[in-house]
Amino acid sequence: PYPTDIREYLYKILVIGDLGTGKTSIIKRYVHNIFSQNYKSTIGVDFALKVIQWSPDTVVRMQLWDIAGQEKFSGLTRVYYKEAVAALVVYDVTRPKTFEAVPKWKADLDSKVSLPGGEPIPVVLLANKTDLKDETSTSLDPEEMEQFCEDNGFVKWFGTSAKDNRNIDDAARFLLEEIMNRE
Ligand code: GDP
Ligand code: MG
């Protein structure tokens, strides 16, 4: 038969984490393949759309929600989380404080959104700015990171660099697989 049936999905995906960890940079890299030292942080929420041909008959639209200016607040509002199906939590490997904040972001998320069945939404942890890693004392021990993910309910972690375009596609693909497997 023609036209063939194309399945289309639209997913709301949150990108959260402390100020300056690279949330906007990761989104710009993933969606537009660009990097800049300077993204204006306007107050509010930005959206970016990444369209993926998941399979010959399946198109996925990933609507990435980028927070700006709300990072210092104690958690985001429920409205912001509403109907999100997955999230990326970002920290900056050169600033341990942003890692310490990760469980806080995760707890805020889990308290305000869940899948229709009640399970927590899949969340991937991004250890960003790994291009700067060798210049700092921060080391990423894979075993410790895996344990951290297990303890805090992250489905996986990736060391990323928005600057060098490292691991961002892989992390997004992994997250999307998690979402699609639950469909
Ligand atoms: P946000 O506040 O979480 O949205 O962070 P931004 O995306 O605005 O990034 C904050 C700063 O870190 C900017 O100067 C970016 O250029 C820089 N930055 C973001 N990602 C990386 C990265 O992977 N490597 C390096 N070296 N700098 C980055
Ligand atoms: Mg930003």
Side-chain angles (χ1 to χ4, degrees):
Y2 182 83
T4 45
D5 279 337
I6 301 288
R7 283 177 294 171
E8 293 191 32
Y9 297 93
L10 175 67
Y11 293 128
K12 173 177 172 178
I13 297 165
L14 308 172
V15 183
I16 58 179
D18 278 2
L19 182 68
T21 52
K23 301 180 295 297
T24 301
S25 300
I26 286 167
I27 292 171
K28 301 273 186 205
R29 172 61 82 188
Y30 183 53
V31 176
H32 307 293
N33 202 21
I34 51 168
F35 178 78
S36 153
Q37 296 292 342
N38 214 334
Y39 290 117
K40 292 260 161 57
S41 66
T42 45
I43 305 277
V45 181
D46 251 334
F47 310 93
L49 195 67
K50 175 85 171 180
V51 181
I52 307 256
Q53 187 79 46
W54 183 253
S55 70
D57 66 349
T58 307
V59 173
V60 175
R61 291 186 164 74
M62 298 172 82
Q63 187 183 59
L64 298 157
W65 286 48
D66 184 17
I67 51 167
Q70 299 154 74
E71 289 99 331
K72 276 185 231 155
F73 291 74
S74 51
L76 301 169
T77 63
R78 222 168 263 279
V79 174
Y80 177 77
Y81 288 115
K82 199 173 187 294
E83 280 163 15
V85 298
L88 298 167
V89 174
V90 184
Y91 78 95
D92 175 345
V93 295
T94 69
R95 287 188 295 138
K97 274 214 157 60
T98 66
F99 181 66
E100 288 161 25
V102 166
K104 183 201 80 179
W105 284 106
K106 182 65 165 60
D108 190 50
L109 181 93
D110 285 338
S111 72
K112 288 170 185 165
V113 69
S114 56
L115 293 175
E119 323 91 277
I121 66 171
V123 188
V124 164
L125 177 63
L126 301 186
N128 192 42
K129 307 196 190 181
T130 53
D131 58 286
L132 300 175
K133 206 186 72 171
D134 292 341
E135 298 161 30
T136 72
S137 57
T138 315
S139 66
L140 297 171
D141 177 348
E143 264 177 43
E144 272 176 34
M145 289 301 289
E146 264 156 50
Q147 190 61 52
F148 181 85
C149 285
E150 208 178 304
D151 294 345
N152 291 275
F154 289 93
V155 291
K156 201 177 167 80
W157 75 280
F158 290 84
T160 60
S161 168
K163 190 177 180 203
D164 292 355
N165 197 13
R166 175 165 186 265
N167 258 347
I168 292 170
D169 285 338
D170 288 350
R173 170 150 282 267
F174 182 86
L175 190 62
L176 204 46
E177 260 160 30
E178 288 289 310
I179 299 168
M180 296 306 279
N181 288 343
R182 288 162 208 230
E183 270 299 330

